[in-house]
Amino acid sequence: MTLQTPQPPPSALRAVLAALNSEAALRQPGAAAALRSTAGQLQPAHPLAVHQLPPGTATARALATAPRTGWRFLVKHGTAVVAAAEVAKSTEGHTFAHFAAGPYLDSTVRALAEAWQLVQPLKTVYRARLLSIPGHYSTALWLHAVEADPAADLLLPLAPAPLGITAHHAYPADELLARLARRSARAVAVPLPGTAVA
């Protein structure tokens, strides 16, 4: 079928455009150097709603309640992606949070291309989102099944993925969340070196 990429709220786009035209924002560490060194206009592209995985979420049905924390845009200079810009929900709508660089940029572009190919032969309409998984220091492209059972949701972990998880592999959401939940449970069960065991 198709992959939907919803338009961000106007306040989210305004926050990113203001940051790209702000000397103070461009002086931030991380992606700022890459942004300052580009000649010509920078354009926000590929907006994706960012949701955060609540601790203990182990099923696709529970994933449906993951709160949206903001939006992430890829920042393009011509056809090249040079940074990401994230905005957070606020009482005013959205405020600029930070710029970012690193492997997630190319991985996001690749995952979006893979997602378009993946959904073509399927009968379900999907909506692209980003899922932040702070407990595992990772992010996944979340293909949310529109008007379908949550069990149809798919997750494509971005690179670098957690140990034992294959980046850019399309996992049924139930499968990947169950794996991550087991990893968390094992991490809690293993005592730290030098910790007394009762």
Side-chain angles (χ1 to χ4, degrees):
M1 287 292 283
T2 188
L3 183 67
Q4 297 179 350
T5 51
Q7 290 299 307
S11 62
L13 183 57
R14 283 196 301 269
V16 171
L17 291 173
L20 290 173
N21 288 290
S22 164
E23 289 188 12
L26 292 174
R27 282 197 298 268
Q28 287 189 355
L35 293 171
R36 286 197 304 269
S37 66
T38 55
Q41 194 167 11
L42 298 165
Q43 292 290 340
H46 306 297
L48 291 167
V50 179
H51 293 253
Q52 184 166 308
L53 185 69
T57 303
T59 67
R61 195 165 298 280
L63 176 62
T65 64
R68 192 181 78 212
T69 57
W71 287 77
R72 187 177 301 166
F73 297 75
L74 296 180
V75 180
K76 299 183 79 173
H77 178 248
T79 59
V81 174
V82 295
E86 192 153 328
V87 299
K89 290 177 69 175
S90 67
T91 54
E92 295 81 21
H94 291 84
T95 56
F96 174 71
H98 60 267
F99 289 116
Y104 279 150
L105 299 182
D106 290 339
S107 189
T108 301
V109 173
R110 175 181 166 186
L112 284 168
E114 290 168 340
W116 281 104
Q117 293 296 320
L118 179 67
V119 303
Q120 292 305 312
L122 305 179
K123 295 181 179 180
T124 304
V125 176
Y126 287 92
R127 183 170 296 142
R129 300 170 170 175
L130 280 178
L131 181 65
S132 173
I133 312 172
H136 297 273
Y137 306 100
S138 62
T139 301
L141 183 65
W142 175 10
L143 304 184
H144 171 61
V146 179
E147 298 181 358
D149 191 284
D153 283 12
L154 300 170
L155 294 172
L156 281 76
L158 301 185
L163 188 64
I165 303 298
T166 304
H168 295 282
H169 175 78
Y171 290 90
D174 274 327
E175 179 185 343
L176 182 59
L177 294 173
R179 284 194 187 193
L180 294 175
R182 288 194 296 271
R183 283 172 53 89
S184 296
R186 286 197 299 268
V188 170
V190 176
L192 296 173
T195 303
V197 179

